[in-house]
Amino acid sequence: IWALISFYYAVKEGEASRVVPAIGASVAVFVFILARFLVDEHLGINEVFAFFFLVIGGVLVSLRITGRSLHFNKRELQFIFFSGFLFALSWVLKKVVFIDQNFVIGFLWMNLGMFAGAMFLLVSSYAREEIFSRPAKVPANKIAIFLLNQGAGGVASVFQNLAVALGSVTIVNGLQGVENFFLLVIAFILAVRFPKILKEEFHGFVVWQKLGAVALISIGLFILSVNVL
């Protein structure tokens, strides 16, 4: 919960197009460090190379490069690192839970903890007013899309946690770049099919940036597959 609050203030302080990739990169680095000390996770040299290719590719595919892309003020950096650290700690603590508990029990307890944390926000009168005075209404013609979105998110969460339980939390976090890759592919298809609804930049330098990101992610995945085989 506190990670999400820090994330909100980081985006509010800066620009989402550069803050979000920066937080993603900081999460990956903090997971790499925390996993080494909290769960004694050791990566082979191939896994380390794959991890960094995946992280750099994931950042590059989601970063919108402008004149201010790499310029952050002090408050932005504070929120970025604090949010990144908390998200990373959450990732690694998941692994700690799954080491001591089986997947089903650990997953249920963690989600109960998230629910309790969300309920804690109701202590704030401002939060209560925002939540209950402005009920969200989903148009009838979009209920199916809404339910599909929520269902897909729930299934994704289960598989993500299962991956952490079965494998390296550092590598699983590094694979977030693959999510951005699929997002890029889907956005490209929709932008071509529905140009008036979804407008994405796929020309000039942006194309080379995206292709470079895809290449880095592909290299990371190839190194991982060779390591597994």
Side-chain angles (χ1 to χ4, degrees), residues 24-95:
S26 67
V27 172
V29 173
F30 281 126
V31 168
F32 183 83
I33 297 170
L34 292 173
R36 175 66 179 84
F37 292 100
L38 296 183
V39 295
D40 197 28
E41 185 172 278
H42 298 271
L43 299 181
I45 186 66
N46 284 355
E47 292 174 316
V48 172
F49 275 116
F51 167 74
F52 281 105
F53 274 116
L54 290 168
V55 171
I56 295 171
V59 171
L60 188 60
V61 78
S62 59
L63 179 64
R64 177 170 294 180
I65 297 178
T66 64
R68 298 184 61 233
S69 293
L70 301 179
H71 294 81
F72 301 93
N73 62 48
K74 184 177 179 180
R75 283 181 60 80
E76 276 183 281
L77 288 175
Q78 288 174 341
F79 285 122
I80 286 170
F81 286 124
F82 188 57
S83 177
F85 174 79
L86 291 178
F87 275 122
L89 184 61
S90 173
W91 274 90
V92 177
L93 289 179
K94 286 182 181 181
K95 185 64 177 180

Side-chain angles (χ1 to χ4, degrees), residues 5-198:
I5 293 174
S6 299
F7 177 88
Y8 166 78
Y9 280 107
V11 173
K12 185 178 179 180
E13 185 68 27
E15 297 175 6
S17 61
R18 57 198 176 91
V19 169
V20 173
I23 291 177
S26 67
V27 172
V29 173
F30 281 126
V31 168
F32 183 83
I33 297 170
L34 292 173
R36 175 66 179 84
F37 292 100
L38 296 183
V39 295
D40 197 28
E41 185 172 278
H42 298 271
L43 299 181
I45 186 66
N46 284 355
E47 292 174 316
V48 172
F49 275 116
F51 167 74
F52 281 105
F53 274 116
L54 290 168
V55 171
I56 295 171
V59 171
L60 188 60
V61 78
S62 59
L63 179 64
R64 177 170 294 180
I65 297 178
T66 64
R68 298 184 61 233
S69 293
L70 301 179
H71 294 81
F72 301 93
N73 62 48
K74 184 177 179 180
R75 283 181 60 80
E76 276 183 281
L77 288 175
Q78 288 174 341
F79 285 122
I80 286 170
F81 286 124
F82 188 57
S83 177
F85 174 79
L86 291 178
F87 275 122
L89 184 61
S90 173
W91 274 90
V92 177
L93 289 179
K94 286 182 181 181
K95 185 64 177 180
V96 172
V97 171
F98 291 134
I99 289 175
D100 293 331
Q101 301 288 337
N102 68 54
F103 173 73
V104 175
I105 294 176
F107 184 72
L108 288 175
W109 275 111
M110 283 190 293
N111 280 276
L112 285 174
M114 290 179 62
F115 175 77
M119 291 298 100
F120 179 75
L121 294 177
L122 295 179
V123 173
S124 167
S125 59
Y126 173 77
R128 290 198 303 273
E129 181 180 355
E130 287 293 306
I131 293 171
F132 296 113
S133 65
R134 302 178 184 179
K137 294 183 179 180
V138 180
N141 61 342
K142 295 182 180 179
I143 290 178
I145 297 176
F146 174 79
L147 293 176
L148 179 62
N149 174 65
Q150 296 303 306
V155 173
S157 176
V158 172
F159 279 107
Q160 184 185 69
N161 281 274
L162 183 59
V164 171
L166 296 176
S168 162
V169 63
T170 305
I171 295 299
V172 172
N173 177 258
L175 286 168
Q176 293 293 298
V178 179
E179 175 185 338
N180 293 326
F181 165 74
F182 282 115
L183 182 62
L184 172 65
V185 172
I186 294 171
F188 176 76
I189 295 173
L190 292 178
V192 172
R193 183 67 180 83
F194 306 103
K196 294 183 179 180
I197 298 177
L198 183 64

